[in-house]
Short mmCIF file of all heavy atoms in Angstrom, two decimals:
data_model
loop_
_atom_site.label_atom_id
_atom_site.label_comp_id
_atom_site.label_asym_id
_atom_site.label_seq_id
_atom_site.Cartn_x
_atom_site.Cartn_y
_atom_site.Cartn_z
N MET Z 43 6.97 29.50 -9.95
CA MET Z 43 6.01 30.18 -10.86
C MET Z 43 4.58 29.89 -10.28
O MET Z 43 4.32 28.78 -9.98
CB MET Z 43 6.21 29.83 -12.26
CG MET Z 43 5.48 30.70 -13.18
SD MET Z 43 6.00 30.29 -15.01
CE MET Z 43 7.60 31.06 -14.95
N ALA Z 44 3.85 31.01 -10.23
CA ALA Z 44 2.43 30.85 -9.69
C ALA Z 44 1.53 30.09 -10.65
O ALA Z 44 1.77 30.05 -11.84
CB ALA Z 44 1.82 32.18 -9.41
N LYS Z 45 0.66 29.30 -10.13
CA LYS Z 45 -0.31 28.61 -10.96
C LYS Z 45 -1.15 29.49 -11.80
O LYS Z 45 -1.72 30.58 -11.30
CB LYS Z 45 -1.16 27.75 -9.98
CG LYS Z 45 -1.96 26.70 -10.57
CD LYS Z 45 -2.72 25.81 -9.56
CE LYS Z 45 -3.35 24.68 -10.23
NZ LYS Z 45 -4.02 23.83 -9.21
N SER Z 46 -1.37 29.20 -12.96
CA SER Z 46 -2.15 30.02 -13.90
C SER Z 46 -3.71 29.92 -13.58
O SER Z 46 -4.11 29.01 -13.02
CB SER Z 46 -1.89 29.64 -15.38
OG SER Z 46 -2.40 28.29 -15.59
N PHE Z 47 -4.32 31.07 -13.83
CA PHE Z 47 -5.79 31.16 -13.59
C PHE Z 47 -6.49 31.33 -14.90
O PHE Z 47 -6.20 32.22 -15.74
CB PHE Z 47 -6.01 32.45 -12.67
CG PHE Z 47 -7.45 32.72 -12.42
CD1 PHE Z 47 -8.17 31.81 -11.73
CD2 PHE Z 47 -8.00 34.02 -12.84
CE1 PHE Z 47 -9.54 32.14 -11.40
CE2 PHE Z 47 -9.35 34.23 -12.65
CZ PHE Z 47 -10.11 33.24 -11.86
N ASP Z 48 -7.32 30.38 -15.23
CA ASP Z 48 -8.07 30.39 -16.48
C ASP Z 48 -9.27 31.36 -16.38
O ASP Z 48 -10.32 30.95 -15.86
CB ASP Z 48 -8.51 28.92 -16.78
CG ASP Z 48 -9.13 28.80 -18.19
OD1 ASP Z 48 -9.44 29.83 -18.83
OD2 ASP Z 48 -9.35 27.61 -18.67
N THR Z 49 -9.02 32.60 -16.91
CA THR Z 49 -10.02 33.58 -16.81
C THR Z 49 -11.32 33.26 -17.63
O THR Z 49 -12.46 33.50 -17.14
CB THR Z 49 -9.55 34.90 -17.21
OG1 THR Z 49 -8.98 34.88 -18.52
CG2 THR Z 49 -8.38 35.40 -16.25
N LEU Z 50 -11.10 32.71 -18.83
CA LEU Z 50 -12.20 32.35 -19.65
C LEU Z 50 -13.16 31.26 -19.01
O LEU Z 50 -14.43 31.46 -18.96
CB LEU Z 50 -11.82 31.88 -20.97
CG LEU Z 50 -12.87 31.60 -22.01
CD1 LEU Z 50 -13.77 32.73 -22.31
CD2 LEU Z 50 -12.33 31.07 -23.33
N ALA Z 51 -12.54 30.27 -18.45
CA ALA Z 51 -13.34 29.14 -17.77
C ALA Z 51 -14.03 29.76 -16.57
O ALA Z 51 -15.21 29.40 -16.34
CB ALA Z 51 -12.40 28.09 -17.40
N ALA Z 52 -13.35 30.61 -15.80
CA ALA Z 52 -13.98 31.20 -14.60
C ALA Z 52 -15.18 32.08 -15.03
O ALA Z 52 -16.30 31.96 -14.38
CB ALA Z 52 -12.98 31.95 -13.80
N ALA Z 53 -14.90 32.94 -16.05
CA ALA Z 53 -16.09 33.74 -16.45
C ALA Z 53 -17.35 32.94 -16.92
O ALA Z 53 -18.47 33.21 -16.67
CB ALA Z 53 -15.69 34.73 -17.52
N ARG Z 54 -17.04 31.92 -17.76
CA ARG Z 54 -18.03 31.01 -18.24
C ARG Z 54 -18.79 30.37 -17.08
O ARG Z 54 -20.03 30.20 -17.05
CB ARG Z 54 -17.56 30.02 -19.22
CG ARG Z 54 -17.18 30.61 -20.50
CD ARG Z 54 -16.69 29.55 -21.52
NE ARG Z 54 -16.33 30.18 -22.77
CZ ARG Z 54 -15.63 29.58 -23.75
NH1 ARG Z 54 -15.21 28.34 -23.54
NH2 ARG Z 54 -15.42 30.16 -24.85
N ARG Z 55 -18.11 29.90 -16.05
CA ARG Z 55 -18.71 29.29 -14.93
C ARG Z 55 -19.60 30.19 -14.12
O ARG Z 55 -20.69 29.81 -13.77
CB ARG Z 55 -17.55 28.75 -14.01
CG ARG Z 55 -18.05 27.86 -12.93
CD ARG Z 55 -16.90 27.26 -12.17
NE ARG Z 55 -17.28 26.35 -11.16
CZ ARG Z 55 -16.51 25.76 -10.38
NH1 ARG Z 55 -15.23 25.81 -10.43
NH2 ARG Z 55 -17.06 24.93 -9.39
N LEU Z 56 -19.18 31.48 -14.05
CA LEU Z 56 -20.03 32.45 -13.35
C LEU Z 56 -21.30 32.69 -14.18
O LEU Z 56 -22.45 32.83 -13.73
CB LEU Z 56 -19.27 33.74 -13.14
CG LEU Z 56 -18.18 33.66 -12.11
CD1 LEU Z 56 -17.29 34.91 -12.05
CD2 LEU Z 56 -18.83 33.44 -10.70
N GLN Z 57 -21.12 32.78 -15.53
CA GLN Z 57 -22.24 32.99 -16.40
C GLN Z 57 -23.25 31.84 -16.37
O GLN Z 57 -24.42 32.05 -16.35
CB GLN Z 57 -21.81 33.25 -17.88
CG GLN Z 57 -21.09 34.59 -17.99
CD GLN Z 57 -20.45 34.71 -19.46
OE1 GLN Z 57 -20.98 34.25 -20.40
NE2 GLN Z 57 -19.33 35.44 -19.53
N ASP Z 58 -22.67 30.60 -16.37
CA ASP Z 58 -23.57 29.43 -16.20
C ASP Z 58 -24.28 29.38 -14.91
O ASP Z 58 -25.45 28.86 -14.84
CB ASP Z 58 -22.66 28.17 -16.35
CG ASP Z 58 -22.14 27.93 -17.74
OD1 ASP Z 58 -22.52 28.60 -18.70
OD2 ASP Z 58 -21.12 27.13 -17.81
N ALA Z 59 -23.81 30.06 -13.90
CA ALA Z 59 -24.56 30.11 -12.59
C ALA Z 59 -25.59 31.27 -12.62
O ALA Z 59 -26.28 31.45 -11.55
CB ALA Z 59 -23.60 30.34 -11.53
N GLY Z 60 -25.71 32.01 -13.70
CA GLY Z 60 -26.75 33.05 -13.81
C GLY Z 60 -26.21 34.44 -13.78
O GLY Z 60 -26.98 35.36 -13.79
N MET Z 61 -24.93 34.71 -13.75
CA MET Z 61 -24.41 36.07 -13.64
C MET Z 61 -24.29 36.63 -15.01
O MET Z 61 -24.06 35.88 -16.03
CB MET Z 61 -22.99 36.05 -12.98
CG MET Z 61 -22.44 37.37 -12.76
SD MET Z 61 -20.88 37.37 -11.78
CE MET Z 61 -21.54 37.03 -10.19
N GLN Z 62 -24.57 37.97 -15.15
CA GLN Z 62 -24.41 38.64 -16.43
C GLN Z 62 -23.03 38.59 -16.87
O GLN Z 62 -22.07 38.58 -16.12
CB GLN Z 62 -24.83 40.10 -16.29
CG GLN Z 62 -26.29 40.19 -16.11
CD GLN Z 62 -26.70 41.81 -15.96
OE1 GLN Z 62 -25.92 42.58 -16.26
NE2 GLN Z 62 -27.93 41.97 -15.57
N ALA Z 63 -22.78 38.55 -18.18
CA ALA Z 63 -21.37 38.41 -18.81
C ALA Z 63 -20.51 39.50 -18.33
O ALA Z 63 -19.30 39.32 -17.98
CB ALA Z 63 -21.50 38.35 -20.31
N SER Z 64 -20.98 40.76 -18.38
CA SER Z 64 -20.17 41.88 -17.97
C SER Z 64 -19.70 41.76 -16.47
O SER Z 64 -18.57 42.16 -16.19
CB SER Z 64 -20.88 43.23 -18.22
OG SER Z 64 -22.05 43.28 -17.49
N GLN Z 65 -20.62 41.35 -15.64
CA GLN Z 65 -20.28 41.22 -14.22
C GLN Z 65 -19.25 40.08 -14.05
O GLN Z 65 -18.26 40.20 -13.31
CB GLN Z 65 -21.52 40.91 -13.33
CG GLN Z 65 -22.51 42.06 -13.31
CD GLN Z 65 -23.80 41.61 -12.59
OE1 GLN Z 65 -24.30 40.49 -12.81
NE2 GLN Z 65 -24.41 42.63 -11.89
N ALA Z 66 -19.51 38.96 -14.71
CA ALA Z 66 -18.56 37.82 -14.66
C ALA Z 66 -17.18 38.25 -15.04
O ALA Z 66 -16.19 37.88 -14.35
CB ALA Z 66 -19.07 36.69 -15.33
N GLU Z 67 -17.13 38.91 -16.17
CA GLU Z 67 -15.77 39.30 -16.72
C GLU Z 67 -15.06 40.27 -15.81
O GLU Z 67 -13.92 40.24 -15.59
CB GLU Z 67 -16.01 39.98 -18.11
CG GLU Z 67 -16.31 38.95 -19.17
CD GLU Z 67 -16.81 39.62 -20.46
OE1 GLU Z 67 -16.73 40.81 -20.69
OE2 GLU Z 67 -17.29 38.81 -21.31
N ALA Z 68 -15.81 41.24 -15.16
CA ALA Z 68 -15.22 42.15 -14.27
C ALA Z 68 -14.75 41.49 -12.98
O ALA Z 68 -13.57 41.82 -12.53
CB ALA Z 68 -16.28 43.24 -13.82
N ILE Z 69 -15.38 40.49 -12.42
CA ILE Z 69 -14.98 39.82 -11.31
C ILE Z 69 -13.71 39.00 -11.55
O ILE Z 69 -12.74 39.03 -10.85
CB ILE Z 69 -16.00 38.93 -10.76
CG1 ILE Z 69 -17.21 39.78 -10.13
CG2 ILE Z 69 -15.49 37.84 -9.78
CD1 ILE Z 69 -18.44 38.96 -9.80
N VAL Z 70 -13.73 38.31 -12.67
CA VAL Z 70 -12.67 37.37 -13.07
C VAL Z 70 -11.35 38.29 -13.26
O VAL Z 70 -10.22 37.97 -12.96
CB VAL Z 70 -12.94 36.67 -14.31
CG1 VAL Z 70 -11.77 35.95 -14.96
CG2 VAL Z 70 -14.00 35.55 -13.96
N GLU Z 71 -11.53 39.45 -13.96
CA GLU Z 71 -10.36 40.40 -14.20
C GLU Z 71 -9.86 40.94 -12.85
O GLU Z 71 -8.63 41.03 -12.76
CB GLU Z 71 -10.81 41.54 -15.12
CG GLU Z 71 -9.75 42.55 -15.47
CD GLU Z 71 -8.58 41.88 -16.26
OE1 GLU Z 71 -8.86 40.76 -16.89
OE2 GLU Z 71 -7.45 42.36 -16.31
N ALA Z 72 -10.70 41.22 -11.96
CA ALA Z 72 -10.29 41.71 -10.66
C ALA Z 72 -9.47 40.63 -9.91
O ALA Z 72 -8.44 40.93 -9.32
CB ALA Z 72 -11.37 42.15 -9.73
N ILE Z 73 -9.86 39.38 -10.00
CA ILE Z 73 -9.16 38.32 -9.38
C ILE Z 73 -7.78 38.09 -10.04
O ILE Z 73 -6.77 37.92 -9.40
CB ILE Z 73 -10.00 37.02 -9.48
CG1 ILE Z 73 -11.20 37.10 -8.63
CG2 ILE Z 73 -9.07 35.77 -9.14
CD1 ILE Z 73 -12.15 35.97 -8.80
N ARG Z 74 -7.70 38.19 -11.36
CA ARG Z 74 -6.45 37.99 -12.10
C ARG Z 74 -5.53 39.11 -11.72
O ARG Z 74 -4.33 38.85 -11.56
CB ARG Z 74 -6.72 38.00 -13.62
CG ARG Z 74 -5.51 37.65 -14.44
CD ARG Z 74 -5.72 37.90 -15.88
NE ARG Z 74 -5.84 39.39 -16.17
CZ ARG Z 74 -4.86 40.35 -16.25
NH1 ARG Z 74 -3.69 40.01 -15.85
NH2 ARG Z 74 -5.11 41.50 -16.41
N GLU Z 75 -5.93 40.29 -11.64
CA GLU Z 75 -5.05 41.39 -11.29
C GLU Z 75 -4.55 41.22 -9.91
O GLU Z 75 -3.42 41.57 -9.60
CB GLU Z 75 -5.79 42.72 -11.45
CG GLU Z 75 -6.07 43.16 -12.88
CD GLU Z 75 -6.94 44.39 -12.93
OE1 GLU Z 75 -7.31 44.94 -11.89
OE2 GLU Z 75 -7.23 44.87 -14.04
N GLY Z 76 -5.32 40.72 -9.04
CA GLY Z 76 -4.86 40.51 -7.59
C GLY Z 76 -3.79 39.42 -7.41
O GLY Z 76 -3.17 39.29 -6.41
N GLN Z 77 -3.66 38.59 -8.54
CA GLN Z 77 -2.69 37.49 -8.40
C GLN Z 77 -1.29 37.83 -8.89
O GLN Z 77 -0.43 37.08 -8.80
CB GLN Z 77 -3.15 36.32 -9.21
CG GLN Z 77 -4.39 35.65 -8.62
CD GLN Z 77 -4.82 34.47 -9.44
OE1 GLN Z 77 -4.59 34.45 -10.63
NE2 GLN Z 77 -5.31 33.45 -8.78
N GLY Z 78 -1.06 39.18 -9.18
CA GLY Z 78 0.13 39.58 -9.77
C GLY Z 78 1.40 39.23 -9.00
O GLY Z 78 2.49 38.93 -9.52
N ASP Z 79 1.37 39.33 -7.68
CA ASP Z 79 2.60 39.19 -6.85
C ASP Z 79 2.64 37.91 -6.02
O ASP Z 79 3.35 37.88 -5.11
CB ASP Z 79 2.74 40.40 -5.98
CG ASP Z 79 3.10 41.68 -6.69
OD1 ASP Z 79 3.61 41.61 -7.76
OD2 ASP Z 79 2.71 42.75 -6.26
N LEU Z 80 1.85 36.87 -6.37
CA LEU Z 80 1.89 35.67 -5.71
C LEU Z 80 3.13 34.90 -5.95
O LEU Z 80 3.74 34.92 -7.07
CB LEU Z 80 0.69 34.78 -6.16
CG LEU Z 80 -0.72 35.37 -5.80
CD1 LEU Z 80 -1.79 34.43 -6.30
CD2 LEU Z 80 -0.86 35.53 -4.23
N VAL Z 81 3.59 34.14 -4.99
CA VAL Z 81 4.78 33.27 -5.11
C VAL Z 81 4.38 31.82 -4.68
O VAL Z 81 3.41 31.70 -4.00
CB VAL Z 81 6.02 33.79 -4.34
CG1 VAL Z 81 6.48 35.12 -4.74
CG2 VAL Z 81 5.65 33.81 -2.82
N THR Z 82 5.17 30.98 -5.25
CA THR Z 82 4.84 29.51 -4.85
C THR Z 82 5.88 29.06 -3.88
O THR Z 82 6.81 29.75 -3.58
CB THR Z 82 4.93 28.71 -6.17
OG1 THR Z 82 6.26 28.71 -6.66
CG2 THR Z 82 3.95 29.18 -7.20
N LYS Z 83 5.64 27.87 -3.38
CA LYS Z 83 6.57 27.23 -2.44
C LYS Z 83 7.96 27.09 -3.16
O LYS Z 83 8.98 27.29 -2.54
CB LYS Z 83 6.00 25.93 -1.99
CG LYS Z 83 6.84 25.25 -0.90
CD LYS Z 83 6.19 23.95 -0.46
CE LYS Z 83 7.04 23.31 0.62
NZ LYS Z 83 6.41 22.08 1.10
N ALA Z 84 7.88 26.73 -4.42
CA ALA Z 84 9.12 26.47 -5.14
C ALA Z 84 9.99 27.85 -5.26
O ALA Z 84 11.14 27.74 -5.13
CB ALA Z 84 8.89 25.97 -6.54
N ASP Z 85 9.19 29.00 -5.48
CA ASP Z 85 9.88 30.25 -5.48
C ASP Z 85 10.58 30.48 -4.14
O ASP Z 85 11.71 31.02 -4.08
CB ASP Z 85 8.89 31.39 -5.75
CG ASP Z 85 8.19 31.36 -7.07
OD1 ASP Z 85 8.84 30.84 -8.02
OD2 ASP Z 85 7.10 31.86 -7.24
N LEU Z 86 9.85 30.30 -3.07
CA LEU Z 86 10.41 30.52 -1.70
C LEU Z 86 11.58 29.65 -1.47
O LEU Z 86 12.64 30.05 -0.92
CB LEU Z 86 9.36 30.30 -0.65
CG LEU Z 86 8.29 31.35 -0.69
CD1 LEU Z 86 7.15 31.00 0.35
CD2 LEU Z 86 8.83 32.72 -0.40
N VAL Z 87 11.49 28.37 -1.79
CA VAL Z 87 12.63 27.31 -1.64
C VAL Z 87 13.86 27.85 -2.33
O VAL Z 87 14.98 27.82 -1.73
CB VAL Z 87 12.21 25.84 -2.00
CG1 VAL Z 87 13.38 24.99 -2.11
CG2 VAL Z 87 11.19 25.35 -1.04
N GLU Z 88 13.63 28.22 -3.56
CA GLU Z 88 14.81 28.76 -4.43
C GLU Z 88 15.42 29.96 -3.82
O GLU Z 88 16.72 30.03 -3.77
CB GLU Z 88 14.31 29.00 -5.84
CG GLU Z 88 15.41 29.41 -6.78
CD GLU Z 88 14.88 29.69 -8.17
OE1 GLU Z 88 13.81 29.18 -8.55
OE2 GLU Z 88 15.50 30.58 -8.85
N THR Z 89 14.62 30.89 -3.29
CA THR Z 89 15.17 32.11 -2.74
C THR Z 89 15.91 31.84 -1.49
O THR Z 89 17.01 32.35 -1.23
CB THR Z 89 14.05 33.09 -2.48
OG1 THR Z 89 13.36 33.45 -3.80
CG2 THR Z 89 14.58 34.34 -1.86
N VAL Z 90 15.37 31.00 -0.60
CA VAL Z 90 16.01 30.66 0.65
C VAL Z 90 17.32 29.96 0.39
O VAL Z 90 18.31 30.18 1.00
CB VAL Z 90 15.04 29.81 1.57
CG1 VAL Z 90 15.83 29.24 2.79
CG2 VAL Z 90 13.91 30.71 2.08
N ALA Z 91 17.30 29.01 -0.56
CA ALA Z 91 18.61 28.30 -0.92
C ALA Z 91 19.56 29.31 -1.38
O ALA Z 91 20.80 29.12 -1.00
CB ALA Z 91 18.33 27.32 -2.00
N GLY Z 92 19.32 30.25 -2.20
CA GLY Z 92 20.24 31.27 -2.64
C GLY Z 92 20.74 32.01 -1.40
O GLY Z 92 21.99 32.37 -1.34
N LEU Z 93 19.89 32.42 -0.54
CA LEU Z 93 20.42 33.14 0.67
C LEU Z 93 21.24 32.32 1.53
O LEU Z 93 22.20 32.85 2.06
CB LEU Z 93 19.12 33.67 1.44
CG LEU Z 93 18.27 34.75 0.78
CD1 LEU Z 93 16.97 35.00 1.55
CD2 LEU Z 93 19.14 36.04 0.60
N GLU Z 94 20.92 31.03 1.68
CA GLU Z 94 21.72 30.17 2.51
C GLU Z 94 23.15 30.09 1.93
O GLU Z 94 24.15 30.07 2.66
CB GLU Z 94 21.23 28.79 2.64
CG GLU Z 94 19.94 28.69 3.54
CD GLU Z 94 19.29 27.43 3.51
OE1 GLU Z 94 19.48 26.60 2.56
OE2 GLU Z 94 18.42 27.11 4.48
N ARG Z 95 23.29 29.95 0.61
CA ARG Z 95 24.61 29.89 -0.01
C ARG Z 95 25.37 31.18 0.17
O ARG Z 95 26.56 31.15 0.45
CB ARG Z 95 24.44 29.65 -1.60
CG ARG Z 95 24.02 28.30 -1.98
CD ARG Z 95 24.13 28.03 -3.50
NE ARG Z 95 23.24 28.89 -4.23
CZ ARG Z 95 21.99 28.57 -4.45
NH1 ARG Z 95 21.53 27.40 -4.05
NH2 ARG Z 95 21.16 29.34 -5.20
N ARG Z 96 24.70 32.30 0.09
CA ARG Z 96 25.44 33.67 0.34
C ARG Z 96 25.88 33.74 1.73
O ARG Z 96 27.03 34.16 2.00
CB ARG Z 96 24.48 34.70 -0.01
CG ARG Z 96 24.24 34.91 -1.53
CD ARG Z 96 23.24 35.99 -1.87
NE ARG Z 96 23.76 37.32 -1.53
CZ ARG Z 96 23.02 38.43 -1.59
NH1 ARG Z 96 21.78 38.32 -2.12
NH2 ARG Z 96 23.59 39.55 -1.26
N VAL Z 97 25.02 33.35 2.71
CA VAL Z 97 25.46 33.45 4.15
C VAL Z 97 26.59 32.55 4.38
O VAL Z 97 27.62 32.83 5.07
CB VAL Z 97 24.22 33.06 5.02
CG1 VAL Z 97 24.69 32.74 6.43
CG2 VAL Z 97 23.19 34.13 5.01
N PHE Z 98 26.60 31.35 3.73
CA PHE Z 98 27.75 30.40 3.93
C PHE Z 98 29.06 31.04 3.38
O PHE Z 98 30.11 30.98 3.98
CB PHE Z 98 27.42 29.03 3.21
CG PHE Z 98 28.48 28.07 3.30
CD1 PHE Z 98 28.69 27.41 4.52
CD2 PHE Z 98 29.33 27.73 2.20
CE1 PHE Z 98 29.80 26.43 4.68
CE2 PHE Z 98 30.34 26.82 2.37
CZ PHE Z 98 30.57 26.13 3.54
N VAL Z 99 28.98 31.60 2.19
CA VAL Z 99 30.12 32.13 1.60
C VAL Z 99 30.64 33.35 2.45
O VAL Z 99 31.82 33.51 2.57
CB VAL Z 99 29.89 32.63 0.07
CG1 VAL Z 99 31.03 33.43 -0.48
CG2 VAL Z 99 29.69 31.39 -0.78
N TYR Z 100 29.70 34.19 2.72
CA TYR Z 100 30.21 35.36 3.71
C TYR Z 100 30.67 34.85 4.95
O TYR Z 100 31.69 35.50 5.51
CB TYR Z 100 29.01 36.35 3.83
CG TYR Z 100 28.60 37.07 2.62
CD1 TYR Z 100 27.26 37.22 2.25
CD2 TYR Z 100 29.52 37.54 1.77
CE1 TYR Z 100 26.99 37.97 1.15
CE2 TYR Z 100 29.21 38.30 0.58
CZ TYR Z 100 27.91 38.43 0.30
OH TYR Z 100 27.53 39.15 -0.85
N GLY Z 101 30.16 33.83 5.45
CA GLY Z 101 30.64 33.23 6.78
C GLY Z 101 32.08 32.74 6.60
O GLY Z 101 32.93 33.01 7.51
N LEU Z 102 32.37 32.06 5.50
CA LEU Z 102 33.68 31.56 5.22
C LEU Z 102 34.67 32.79 5.08
O LEU Z 102 35.81 32.72 5.63
CB LEU Z 102 33.74 30.66 4.08
CG LEU Z 102 33.18 29.28 4.11
CD1 LEU Z 102 33.21 28.65 2.75
CD2 LEU Z 102 33.88 28.51 5.20
N ALA Z 103 34.23 33.81 4.42
CA ALA Z 103 35.10 35.03 4.17
C ALA Z 103 35.35 35.61 5.58
O ALA Z 103 36.59 36.02 5.75
CB ALA Z 103 34.42 35.95 3.22
N LEU Z 104 34.39 35.81 6.39
CA LEU Z 104 34.58 36.40 7.68
C LEU Z 104 35.53 35.51 8.52
O LEU Z 104 36.35 36.07 9.23
CB LEU Z 104 33.20 36.57 8.34
CG LEU Z 104 33.29 37.18 9.73
CD1 LEU Z 104 33.85 38.57 9.64
CD2 LEU Z 104 31.84 37.33 10.27
N ALA Z 105 35.32 34.19 8.49
CA ALA Z 105 36.17 33.34 9.26
C ALA Z 105 37.68 33.43 8.78
O ALA Z 105 38.55 33.53 9.63
CB ALA Z 105 35.75 31.88 9.14
N GLY Z 106 37.87 33.58 7.49
CA GLY Z 106 39.25 33.79 6.95
C GLY Z 106 39.83 35.12 7.35
O GLY Z 106 40.96 35.12 7.78
N LEU Z 107 39.01 36.08 7.39
CA LEU Z 107 39.51 37.42 7.90
C LEU Z 107 39.89 37.37 9.45
O LEU Z 107 40.93 38.01 9.83
CB LEU Z 107 38.40 38.59 7.69
CG LEU Z 107 38.17 39.00 6.28
CD1 LEU Z 107 37.04 39.88 6.10
CD2 LEU Z 107 39.52 39.63 5.77
N VAL Z 108 39.10 36.70 10.17
CA VAL Z 108 39.35 36.55 11.63
C VAL Z 108 40.63 35.77 11.85
O VAL Z 108 41.52 36.26 12.68
CB VAL Z 108 38.13 35.94 12.40
CG1 VAL Z 108 38.54 35.66 13.79
CG2 VAL Z 108 37.01 36.91 12.37
N VAL Z 109 40.77 34.70 11.17
CA VAL Z 109 41.95 33.86 11.25
C VAL Z 109 43.24 34.63 10.79
O VAL Z 109 44.25 34.73 11.46
CB VAL Z 109 41.89 32.61 10.49
CG1 VAL Z 109 43.26 31.84 10.38
CG2 VAL Z 109 40.87 31.65 11.14
N GLY Z 110 43.06 35.45 9.76
CA GLY Z 110 44.24 36.33 9.27
C GLY Z 110 44.59 37.36 10.28
O GLY Z 110 45.71 37.66 10.56
N ALA Z 111 43.55 37.98 10.90
CA ALA Z 111 43.75 39.03 11.79
C ALA Z 111 44.39 38.44 13.09
O ALA Z 111 45.35 39.13 13.65
CB ALA Z 111 42.51 39.75 12.16
N VAL Z 112 43.94 37.38 13.51
CA VAL Z 112 44.59 36.69 14.73
C VAL Z 112 46.01 36.40 14.47
O VAL Z 112 46.97 36.51 15.25
CB VAL Z 112 43.68 35.49 15.24
CG1 VAL Z 112 44.52 34.69 16.27
CG2 VAL Z 112 42.34 35.96 15.69
N GLY Z 113 46.25 35.87 13.33
CA GLY Z 113 47.67 35.49 12.88
C GLY Z 113 48.49 36.73 12.85
O GLY Z 113 49.62 36.62 13.42
N LEU Z 114 48.05 37.80 12.40
CA LEU Z 114 48.88 39.04 12.34
C LEU Z 114 49.07 39.54 13.71
O LEU Z 114 50.15 40.02 14.07
CB LEU Z 114 48.19 40.14 11.49
CG LEU Z 114 48.18 39.95 9.95
CD1 LEU Z 114 47.35 41.03 9.31
CD2 LEU Z 114 49.62 39.97 9.46
N LEU Z 115 48.00 39.44 14.59
CA LEU Z 115 48.08 39.86 15.97
C LEU Z 115 49.11 39.10 16.71
O LEU Z 115 49.97 39.58 17.40
CB LEU Z 115 46.82 39.85 16.64
CG LEU Z 115 46.67 40.34 18.05
CD1 LEU Z 115 47.09 41.84 18.23
CD2 LEU Z 115 45.36 40.12 18.69
N VAL Z 116 49.09 37.80 16.59
CA VAL Z 116 50.06 36.92 17.26
C VAL Z 116 51.51 37.20 16.77
O VAL Z 116 52.44 37.25 17.49
CB VAL Z 116 49.70 35.37 17.05
CG1 VAL Z 116 50.80 34.52 17.41
CG2 VAL Z 116 48.35 35.08 17.77
N ARG Z 117 51.66 37.34 15.49
CA ARG Z 117 52.97 37.60 14.85
C ARG Z 117 53.53 39.01 15.41
O ARG Z 117 54.65 39.14 15.78
CB ARG Z 117 52.94 37.68 13.40
CG ARG Z 117 54.22 38.01 12.71
CD ARG Z 117 54.18 37.99 11.20
NE ARG Z 117 54.08 36.65 10.80
CZ ARG Z 117 53.90 36.26 9.54
NH1 ARG Z 117 53.79 37.13 8.61
NH2 ARG Z 117 53.91 35.05 9.22
N PHE Z 118 52.58 39.96 15.59
CA PHE Z 118 53.01 41.34 16.08
C PHE Z 118 53.42 41.20 17.52
O PHE Z 118 54.43 41.82 17.97
CB PHE Z 118 51.88 42.30 15.81
CG PHE Z 118 52.14 43.63 16.42
CD1 PHE Z 118 53.01 44.59 15.80
CD2 PHE Z 118 51.52 44.04 17.60
CE1 PHE Z 118 53.22 45.74 16.32
CE2 PHE Z 118 51.72 45.30 18.09
CZ PHE Z 118 52.60 46.14 17.50
N LEU Z 119 52.66 40.43 18.34
CA LEU Z 119 52.89 40.39 19.71
C LEU Z 119 54.15 39.58 20.08
O LEU Z 119 54.86 39.76 21.05
CB LEU Z 119 51.71 39.76 20.50
CG LEU Z 119 50.46 40.63 20.50
CD1 LEU Z 119 49.30 39.93 21.16
CD2 LEU Z 119 50.70 41.92 21.24
N VAL Z 120 54.45 38.49 19.21
CA VAL Z 120 55.57 37.65 19.42
C VAL Z 120 56.87 38.37 19.12
O VAL Z 120 57.91 38.18 19.83
CB VAL Z 120 55.44 36.35 18.58
CG1 VAL Z 120 56.78 35.49 18.64
CG2 VAL Z 120 54.30 35.56 19.17
N GLU Z 121 56.91 39.22 18.07
CA GLU Z 121 58.15 39.89 17.68
C GLU Z 121 58.49 41.01 18.59
O GLU Z 121 58.30 41.55 19.44
CB GLU Z 121 57.92 40.45 16.30
CG GLU Z 121 57.87 39.35 15.25
CD GLU Z 121 57.69 39.96 13.85
OE1 GLU Z 121 57.52 41.19 13.61
OE2 GLU Z 121 57.57 39.09 12.95
#
């Protein structure tokens, strides 16, 4: 989960530096809107771990299919 952005504190900080309240609020709101799709390292680690598990499971399934197909082929050729 992305780190939260304290819009009120940021707007007050800009106002304390001499910016008009309406300008400070508009800037802070634009920053907040721009953060909508940010991800954290933890988000990425969780997603990669899930993908690794899926690849492992699909790999095992594929290996099982190959072994089964080879077994059928050998049985067919021997008979």
Side-chain angles (χ1 to χ4, degrees):
M43 192 169 285
K45 192 173 187 179
S46 64
F47 177 63
D48 187 349
T49 56
L50 181 59
R54 286 182 179 164
R55 190 170 182 183
L56 290 171
Q57 290 173 32
D58 289 345
M61 187 173 282
Q62 293 180 10
S64 61
Q65 292 173 324
E67 291 168 8
I69 289 171
V70 169
E71 183 61 24
I73 292 170
R74 189 193 61 76
E75 288 174 1
Q77 291 182 325
D79 293 332
L80 294 179
V81 296
T82 64
K83 184 176 180 180
D85 294 331
L86 293 175
V87 167
E88 181 180 333
T89 300
V90 168
L93 291 172
E94 288 173 341
R95 283 189 298 273
R96 288 176 64 185
V97 167
F98 180 74
V99 169
Y100 290 138
L102 286 178
L104 181 58
L107 288 173
V108 168
V109 168
V112 169
L114 287 175
L115 183 61
V116 168
R117 182 179 283 175
F118 176 74
L119 292 175
V120 170
E121 291 179 0

